[in-house]
């Protein structure tokens, strides 16, 4: 009896050891948030660097790139975003029937969700280019920034191509089950914390999980400065379709535009930078008709607040006879870190309107909602496969006279070991958690020689604008309380 | 026991000799030219070979564009029938693609090929001056100072743009590049010559792989 029980125990212990050995820990969300709160960027960078060198993953590259960006190390940040992009491109160019992908998918469905490599969701792949564009912008390379914005748009096409089949299946499924609807969340476990957030009207109002008005608004600013006003107009129209605040903001700053065939045609004012195209050469040589001209300068203020929600696996345990319980693990998010609403005003007291055009929490929740049917299906498959292994352990023990009195204990032990492994594998389930929770944008004109005050809750920063510049783009990063960082580029 | 120890030391000595011989042999076969040699398989290749590693802008695109544009420009009547080689300034070729293309490499290659032909003379680049408008402003300012007159006295300027259209699906990807260049009279703004080069590339994804 002792030797048989010992064998089962040893097998379970060995399986546990091997499975846990396969999962090595990343920088935890708690570590990231506490390092940022302490303002210890160097420490966080070191940890992220070690994690990236060890894992070479899409998400480790992006998180490290963002740490560099928060320190104003634009070139290092570009290198890391490019590294993340190479990993993503390698994934996108893989064969249609890919064995690695197939094994990962089978593993994520039957064993643990973390078995499959993570290559970001639609909004993360889009924002990779948006945030890399900011690096080029801060280096004064407007052409480089524009290239990144064009890549941002192309990335959405790729994402659509990747998701098309799954979305199509999902729609067909809904059509077949006429009683079902997109907002039906009835199959979720009772204790699942995301149910309310997925049902939130703000989540439902997000048009597409991979598009945001901030990226398109930034694209309009960048393309105008890089000398492509036509592309800037297209971007601005797209931004306005996603969020009416973009239209309000730019109508006030650049002009109201007009409505043609029901479509808004925005005004893209002549860029003050000395990069005119050949077609506009004669216009450039004429004196500017802009009355504000010499005494005022353009100002764009971008404020990044807080931290995006962090992905983790939520584990719901449902009591079950013989094996203790059945574990159902579903993806969920730690709430975003959000601070107060920022305000911007010039030294003469002129307030500049700030609009929140990016909400990463809503994009994350909307993405989860879009994929919920698949996630629930996978979670059930994992729960069933774990329960089957524990059940088989119980049955094997119960069928032997020597161990049948310990059978429920061994069944529960098997469940516990798999719970432990599932917990270890969950460490691999991470997202781009160093994205800001919100991005605000302001666009306007101030008198030359003025200074600008930016305030978030009790923190305030005042910067003097360079008098000789035609315009200034200011980036304010507020990833943690009492740690506001301001960078700007003049043109 | 003793015998075993002696045998063992002999074996060790033999092993050490073998190692030494191997090291010496390795020294004999190593590089004698003093060049550094890495562990990887690095070889010189023909720079004119067609490069198709990825569908991104590459050396072959650069060569095809520069050769085509240079020949077209040399064949234009403004250069071919000029009484004396005109003075040309190469301006920026604007990158309107979704790739980080170093467009300076295109203008540099065209400049070298045009200079070799002897059909044109080039003035030094005035980096950071904004294309034609800056050229006009620069000329106007320079004419007031005789010492700068020669430097600013440009007959023509050459500018251009690179655009691209990229389409990607899970099965295939294609990219189309359009490179347009223009010869402009900076005084009148008249476009005297223009030509374009179109390049198209496509890649397919393998059906089965690791």
């Amino acid at each position: 009896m002792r030797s048989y029980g010992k064998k089962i125990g040893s097998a379970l212990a060995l399986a546990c050891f091997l499975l846990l050995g396969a999962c090595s820990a990343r920088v935890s969300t708690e570590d990231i948030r506490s390092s940022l709160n302490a303002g210890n960027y160097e420490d966080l960078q070191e940890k992220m660097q070690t994690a990236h060198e060890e894992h070479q993953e899409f998400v480790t590259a992006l998180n490290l790139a963002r740490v560099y960006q928060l320190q104003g190390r634009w070139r290092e940040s570009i290198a890391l975003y490019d590294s993340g992009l190479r990993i993503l491109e390698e994934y996108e160019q893989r064969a249609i029937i890919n064995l690695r992908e197939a094994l990962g998918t089978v593993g994520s469905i039957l064993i643990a969700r973390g078995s499959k490599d993570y290559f970001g969701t639609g909004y993360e792949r889009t924002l990779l280019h948006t945030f890399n564009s900011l690096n080029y912008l801060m280096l004064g390379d407007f052409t480089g920034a524009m290239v990144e914005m064009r890549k941002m748009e192309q990335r959405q096409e790729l994402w659509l191509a990747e998701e098309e089949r799954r979305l199509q299946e999902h729609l067909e499924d809904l059509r077949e089950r006429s009683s079902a609807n997109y907002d039906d969340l009835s199959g979720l476990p009772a204790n699942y914390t995301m149910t309310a957030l997925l049902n939130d009207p703000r989540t439902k109002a997000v048009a597409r999980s991979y598009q945001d008005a901030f990226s398109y608004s930034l694209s309009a600013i960048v393309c105008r400065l890089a000398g492509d006003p036509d592309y800037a107009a297209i971007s601005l129209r797209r931004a306005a379709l996603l969020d009416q605040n973009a239209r309000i903001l730019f109508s006030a700053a650049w002009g109201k535009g007009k409505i043609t065939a029901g479509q808004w045609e925005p005004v893209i004012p002549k860029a003050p930078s000395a990069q005119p195209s050949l077609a506009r050469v004669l216009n450039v040589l004429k004196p500017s008709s802009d009355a504000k001209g010499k005494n005022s300068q353009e100002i764009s203020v971008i404020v990044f607040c807080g931290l995006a929600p962090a992905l983790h696996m939520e584990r719901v345990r449902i009591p079950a006879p013989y094996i203790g319980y059945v574990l159902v693990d579903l993806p969920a998010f730690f709430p975003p870190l959000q601070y107060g609403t920022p305000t911007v005003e010039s030294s003469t007291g002129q307030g500049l309107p700030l609009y929140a055009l990016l909400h990463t929490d809503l994009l994350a929740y909307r993405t989860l909602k879009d994929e919920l049917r698949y996630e629930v299906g996978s979670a059930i498959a994992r729960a069933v496969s774990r329960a089957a292994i524990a059940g088989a352990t119980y049955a094997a023990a119960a069928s032997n006279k020597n161990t049948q009195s310990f059978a429920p204990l061994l069944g529960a032990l098997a469940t516990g070991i798999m719970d432990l492994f599932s917990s270890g594998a969950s460490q691999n389930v991470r997202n781009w958690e160093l994205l800001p929770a919100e991005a605000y944008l302001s666009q306007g004109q101030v008198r030359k020689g003025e200074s600008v005050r930016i305030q978030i809750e009790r923190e305030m920063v005042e910067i003097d604008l360079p008098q000789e510049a035609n315009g200034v783009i200011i980036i304010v990063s507020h990833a943690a309380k009492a740690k506001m960082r301001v960078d700007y580029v003049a043109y | 026991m003793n015998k075993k120890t002696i045998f063992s030391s002999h074996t060790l000595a033999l092993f050490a000799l073998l190692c030494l011989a191997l090291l010496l042999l390795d020294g004999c076969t190593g590089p004698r030219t003093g060049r550094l040699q890495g562990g990887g398989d690095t070889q010189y290749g023909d720079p004119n070979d067609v490069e198709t590693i990825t569908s991104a802008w590459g050396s072959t695109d650069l060569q095809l564009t520069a050769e085509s544009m240079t020949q077209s420009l040399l064949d234009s009547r403004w250069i071919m029938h000029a009484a004396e080689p005109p003075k040309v300034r190469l301006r920026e070729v604007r990158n309107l693609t979704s790739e980080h293309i170093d467009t300076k490499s295109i203008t540099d290659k065209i400049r070298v090929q045009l200079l070799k032909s002897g059909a044109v003379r080039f003035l030094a680049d005035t980096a950071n001056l904004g294309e034609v408008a800056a050229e006009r402003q620069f000329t106007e300012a320079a004419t007031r100072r005789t010492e700068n007159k020669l430097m600013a006295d440009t007959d023509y300027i050459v500018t251009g743009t690179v655009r691209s259209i990229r389409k990607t699906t899970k099965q295939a990807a294609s990219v189309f590049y359009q490179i347009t260049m223009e010869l402009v009279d900076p005084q009148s703004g008249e476009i005297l010559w223009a030509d374009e080069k179109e390049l198209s590339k496509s890649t397919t994804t393998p059906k089965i792989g690791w």
Side-chain angles (χ1 to χ4, degrees):
Chain A
M1 179 193 91
R2 193 177 286 172
S3 74
Y4 195 77
K6 213 172 174 182
K7 272 180 193 168
I8 293 177
S10 304
L12 288 172
L14 182 67
C16 178
F17 177 76
L18 287 173
L19 293 173
L20 279 175
C23 321
S24 48
R26 278 34 175 193
V27 186
S28 71
T29 303
E30 295 77 35
D31 265 2
I32 291 172
R33 293 187 173 187
S34 64
S35 291
L36 282 178
N37 268 328
N40 202 343
Y41 289 113
E42 288 79 14
D43 176 52
L44 182 60
Q45 179 203 311
E46 209 171 293
K47 286 177 189 167
M48 290 274 180
Q49 214 157 0
T50 311
H52 181 57
E53 279 164 14
E54 192 179 334
H55 299 289
Q56 292 289 320
E57 285 176 354
F58 177 70
V59 78
T60 55
L62 262 52
N63 276 326
L64 182 57
R66 188 77 188 114
V67 176
Y68 280 129
Q69 206 163 31
L70 286 168
Q71 297 174 86
R73 295 169 67 172
W74 316 116
R75 288 185 199 283
E76 284 112 318
S77 182
I78 287 174
L80 261 299
Y81 280 124
D82 287 348
S83 168
L85 185 62
R86 276 196 298 277
I87 294 168
L88 180 59
E89 284 176 343
E90 187 275 327
Y91 165 71
E92 285 168 346
Q93 286 159 11
R94 282 182 190 174
I96 298 163
I97 302 166
N98 184 268
L99 294 175
R100 254 186 300 177
E101 183 74 4
L103 284 174
T105 306
V106 169
S108 74
I109 291 172
L110 293 179
I111 303 167
R113 194 180 180 273
S115 316
K116 195 178 176 185
D117 287 339
Y118 182 71
F119 293 97
T121 55
Y123 76 92
E124 288 173 331
R125 294 183 192 183
T126 302
L127 290 174
L128 179 165
H129 298 294
T130 305
F131 279 81
N132 203 12
S133 175
L134 291 169
N135 288 329
Y136 285 99
L137 199 62
M138 285 295 107
L139 290 168
D141 179 358
F142 296 153
T143 302
M146 182 169 67
V147 166
E148 286 300 323
M149 297 323 300
R150 286 176 193 272
K151 282 185 173 187
M152 179 267 291
E153 290 213 25
Q154 276 184 3
R155 181 65 49 203
Q156 291 176 10
E157 281 179 30
L158 280 168
W159 176 254
L160 260 183
E162 190 181 319
E163 288 300 285
E164 200 172 24
R165 188 180 51 79
R166 196 192 293 181
L167 284 172
Q168 201 61 38
E169 281 172 6
H170 179 57
L171 287 173
E172 278 169 16
D173 185 36
L174 285 181
R175 241 178 260 129
E176 278 171 20
R177 300 175 346 120
S178 55
S179 59
N181 66 65
Y182 179 74
D183 293 324
D184 179 19
L185 300 176
S186 54
L188 294 174
N191 299 332
Y192 186 43
T193 55
M194 296 301 293
T195 310
L197 287 168
L198 298 180
N199 262 328
D200 192 291
R202 291 178 72 223
T203 307
K204 289 179 186 173
V206 175
R208 287 177 201 90
S209 62
Y210 54 89
Q211 286 185 327
D212 65 280
F214 173 75
S215 294
Y216 283 119
S217 301
L218 183 67
S219 176
I221 295 171
V222 163
C223 293
R224 171 179 170 258
L225 290 176
D228 196 346
D230 298 337
Y231 204 83
I234 295 168
S235 295
L236 205 47
R237 268 202 296 271
R238 286 178 174 164
L241 283 172
L242 290 168
D243 192 332
Q244 276 300 308
N245 284 334
R247 183 169 166 179
I248 297 168
L249 175 67
F250 283 93
S251 293
W254 288 357
K256 282 189 174 174
K258 55 183 178 182
I259 308 288
T260 311
Q263 201 177 42
W264 179 47
E265 279 186 32
V267 176
I268 308 294
K270 193 172 66 197
S273 57
Q275 289 187 343
S277 71
L278 266 178
R280 291 181 293 124
V281 60
L282 296 173
N283 291 333
V284 172
L285 291 169
K286 284 178 190 168
S288 171
S289 57
D290 181 8
K292 293 168 187 171
K294 287 181 180 173
N295 297 322
S296 63
Q297 60 187 178
E298 295 178 355
I299 178 169
S300 308
V301 184
I302 299 163
V303 185
F304 294 123
C305 274
L307 282 180
L311 185 68
H312 70 283
M313 293 304 285
E314 190 170 302
R315 300 141 63 71
V316 181
R317 294 178 180 87
I318 302 163
Y322 312 119
I323 56 169
Y325 58 90
V326 175
L327 175 73
V328 181
D329 55 347
L330 273 167
F333 288 96
F334 290 122
L337 285 186
Q338 279 168 315
Y339 307 111
T341 309
T343 56
V344 180
E345 63 172 20
S346 71
S347 48
T348 55
Q350 177 201 346
L352 289 163
L354 266 177
Y355 290 98
L357 298 178
L358 173 69
H359 306 270
T360 51
D361 55 343
L362 299 182
L363 291 173
Y365 304 154
R366 176 59 197 240
T367 304
L368 181 57
K369 188 166 185 172
D370 285 350
E371 302 195 338
L372 200 61
R373 196 166 296 275
Y374 173 78
E375 292 290 359
V376 169
S378 306
I380 291 169
R382 284 193 297 272
V384 168
S385 84
R386 276 192 291 259
I389 294 171
T393 309
Y394 169 82
S399 65
N400 189 298
K401 273 184 189 173
N402 297 327
T403 55
Q404 62 187 179
S405 54
F406 297 102
L409 184 66
L410 285 170
L413 186 66
T415 302
I417 287 171
M418 275 176 294
D419 192 341
L420 196 65
F421 163 65
S422 165
S423 167
S426 297
Q427 298 288 321
N428 294 346
V429 178
R430 306 299 292 275
N431 65 331
W432 188 4
E433 52 198 303
L434 275 165
L435 275 174
E438 283 169 329
Y440 294 81
L441 184 63
S442 177
Q443 183 73 20
Q445 299 250 351
V446 292
R447 276 194 208 144
K448 279 189 176 173
E450 279 195 71
S451 58
V452 167
R453 278 192 293 267
I454 300 140
Q455 190 164 358
I456 303 173
E457 290 187 327
R458 288 178 188 172
E459 277 181 79
M460 194 185 73
V461 170
E462 184 162 352
I463 57 164
D464 296 324
L465 300 176
Q467 283 207 26
E468 68 284 359
N470 290 314
V472 185
I473 298 172
I474 300 169
I475 294 182
V476 182
S477 302
H478 192 256
K481 277 194 173 182
K483 299 291 168 196
M484 202 193 297
R485 182 189 165 92
V486 181
D487 298 282
Y488 72 87
V489 64
Y491 51 89
Chain B
M1 177 80 182
N2 252 352
K3 197 177 177 183
K4 201 175 182 181
T5 312
I6 291 161
F7 183 73
S8 180
S9 68
H10 278 189
T11 313
L12 277 174
L14 196 66
F15 182 69
L17 272 172
L18 263 170
C19 286
L20 192 66
L22 276 172
L23 279 172
L24 286 171
L25 274 172
D26 186 52
C28 295
T29 54
R32 292 171 182 279
T33 52
R35 70 195 161 98
L36 292 170
Q37 201 173 42
D41 182 18
T42 308
Q43 292 170 348
Y44 276 103
D46 184 347
N48 294 318
D49 276 354
V50 175
E51 175 263 309
T52 52
I53 296 170
T54 67
S55 64
W57 179 267
S59 60
T60 306
D61 305 310
L62 169 67
Q63 284 163 355
L64 289 172
T65 304
E67 277 166 24
S68 162
M69 289 298 173
T70 309
Q71 200 50 55
S72 176
L73 190 56
L74 287 173
D75 291 345
S76 73
R77 64 191 176 99
W78 305 97
I79 306 290
M80 190 182 265
H81 302 303
E84 60 176 44
K87 284 193 271 185
V88 176
R89 199 188 301 277
L90 266 171
R91 289 287 185 173
E92 185 194 4
V93 170
R94 295 173 66 219
N95 176 15
L96 298 178
T97 70
S98 54
E99 283 177 56
H100 292 285
I101 296 173
D102 178 13
T103 54
K104 190 89 169 56
S105 63
I106 302 173
T107 51
D108 283 354
K109 197 154 180 67
I110 291 173
R111 189 198 340 265
V112 168
Q113 292 185 6
L114 285 173
L115 272 174
K116 277 183 181 172
S117 74
V120 295
R121 290 179 292 165
F122 275 98
L123 298 178
D125 275 359
T126 47
N128 303 323
L129 287 178
E131 309 241 15
V132 182
E135 185 69 32
R136 281 284 300 274
Q137 286 161 358
F138 181 59
T139 311
E140 280 168 15
T143 47
R144 292 183 213 117
R145 285 175 290 166
T146 47
E147 66 271 26
N148 284 344
K149 176 78 169 70
L150 282 174
M151 201 174 80
D153 199 9
T154 316
D155 294 322
Y156 306 122
I157 62 161
V158 176
T159 65
T161 52
V162 188
R163 293 172 191 273
S164 71
I165 301 168
R166 187 177 281 271
K167 291 281 168 196
T168 311
T169 64
K170 183 70 187 158
Q171 289 81 25
S174 77
V175 61
F176 172 80
Y177 293 107
Q178 185 191 39
I179 305 101
T180 312
M181 296 198 79
E182 294 167 346
L183 184 75
V184 183
D185 181 342
Q187 302 308 314
S188 65
E190 187 184 356
I191 300 170
L192 305 170
W193 162 90
D195 201 355
E196 63 179 7
K197 175 75 184 168
E198 292 175 343
L199 298 163
S200 177
K201 293 198 268 189
S202 62
T203 51
T204 51
T205 313
K207 285 204 166 56
I208 300 174
W210 172 246

